[in-house]
């Protein structure tokens, strides 16, 4: 596992990591990416979610009181 500094400097996350962050299952995350609900980039066969896009997505989500 990487150190906390490595985690802070990462610019992309895998689908599996995003699923954990969002608290959803991996298949739901893949479907959300396919629908365009979660912005992503494809590098070869890998699908990655840019950190900045994930932060914007989370900031735009309405918060329950």
């Amino acid at each position: 596992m990487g150190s906390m500094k490595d985690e802070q400097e990462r610019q992309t996350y895998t689908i599996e990591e995003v699923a954990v962050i969002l608290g959803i299952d991996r298949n739901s995350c893949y479907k959300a990416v396919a629908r365009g609900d979660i912005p992503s980039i494809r590098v070869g066969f890998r699908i990655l979610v840019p950190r900045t896009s994930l932060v914007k997505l989370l900031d735009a989500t309405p918060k329950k009181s």
Side-chain angles (χ1 to χ4, degrees), residues 13-52:
Y13 294 102
T14 64
I15 293 295
E16 289 79 9
E17 292 169 326
V18 172
V20 170
I21 291 167
L22 297 178
I24 61 177
D25 64 82
R26 188 173 60 111
N27 288 337
S28 294
C29 196
Y30 274 110
K31 289 177 185 177
V33 165
R35 286 191 309 264
D37 294 341
I38 299 175
S40 64
I41 56 174
R42 187 176 287 276
V43 179
F45 290 105
R46 295 188 71 189
I47 299 172
L48 300 171
V49 176
R51 182 182 56 82
T52 54

Side-chain angles (χ1 to χ4, degrees), residues 6-19:
D6 292 338
E7 292 296 320
Q8 291 174 346
E9 293 179 1
R10 289 186 54 194
Q11 297 300 307
T12 59
Y13 294 102
T14 64
I15 293 295
E16 289 79 9
E17 292 169 326
V18 172

